[in-house]
């Protein structure tokens, strides 16, 4: 991938970014921009995130090969593919059925078999498959959905943009230590709103 991933140091993350073909997740009319470092429309008013932000959030998750990871907001499936390169099992929830179906098809066509999809409201996480070692949210709610904290394993990492739906949000990382969550601020970001059914 022709990307300047400045500041990203995790070699496994950089290798996954090199490997996953982003053009497979982008609509035909935006193929020319598939390897530019910017978000692109994917239909249904949603976007595939900017590659730098995908890499940053993935690095913050501190993934180990045996980890179970939950993603909220499958969108195009691109972030899920990056996660699938790095861990044993990926679970992803998408509220728009049409996007979930398309993303699943793309991932199957590329041979990823360690990603499970669910259509529904990610506000509730995926209780049956919890606990997760890492949770990534790729749409922005104003506050952390309580279920996501509950479904995080001891030592688990939650990476999530929080803020007003129309505007700029803050990227947070929460690390679970017992019943406490250590918060780290990772700067300003802009995500699509976290919607509810
Ligand atoms: N990770 C995606 C980015 C998609 S944009 C990618 O790599 O392409 C964020 C996605 O979150 C959108 O598809 C949107 O429909 C979805 N979303 C918004 N609110 C949601 C919710 N409550 N539960 C699950 N998905 C949600």
């Amino acid at each position: 991938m022709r990307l300047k991933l400045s500041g990203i140091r995790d070699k496994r993350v950089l290798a996954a970014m090199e490997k996953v073909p982003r053009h497979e997740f982008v609509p035909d009319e935006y193929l020319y921009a598939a390897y530019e470092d910017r978000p692109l429309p994917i239909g249904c008013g949603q976007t595939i995130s900017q590659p730098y932000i995908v890499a940053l959030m993935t690095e913050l998750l501190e993934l180990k090969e045996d980890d179970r990871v939950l993603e909220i907001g499958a969108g195009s499936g691109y972030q899920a593919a990056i996660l699938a390169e790095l861990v044993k099992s990926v679970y992803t929830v998408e509220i728009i059925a049409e996007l979930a179906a398309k993303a699943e098809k793309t991932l199957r066509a590329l041979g990823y078999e360690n990603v499970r999809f669910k259509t529904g409201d990610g506000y509730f996480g995926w209780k049956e498959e919890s606990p997760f070692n890492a949770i990534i949210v790729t749409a922005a709610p104003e506050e952390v959905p309580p279920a996501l904290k509950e479904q995080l394993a001891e030592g688990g990492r939650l990476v999530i943009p929080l803020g007003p739906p129309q505007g700029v949000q803050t990227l947070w990382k929460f690390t679970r230590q017992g019943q406490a969550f250590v918060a780290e601020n990772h700067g300003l970001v802009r995500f699509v709103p976290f919607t509810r059914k």
Side-chain angles (χ1 to χ4, degrees), residues 22 31 34 36 74 89 94 99 109 120 145 147 153 173 177-179 181:
R22 191 167 182 258
L31 278 179
E36 290 174 13
S89 12
E94 169 55 54
L99 290 178
K173 171 177 175 176
Q177 290 180 3
Q179 290 313 304
F181 293 84

Side-chain angles (χ1 to χ4, degrees), residues 46-47 71 73-76 79 94-96 99 121-122 138 194-195:
Q46 305 305 319
T47 54
E71 177 190 30
S76 68
Q79 172 77 67
E94 169 55 54
I95 202 162
I96 302 176
L99 290 178
D121 186 350
T138 67
F194 191 93
T195 58

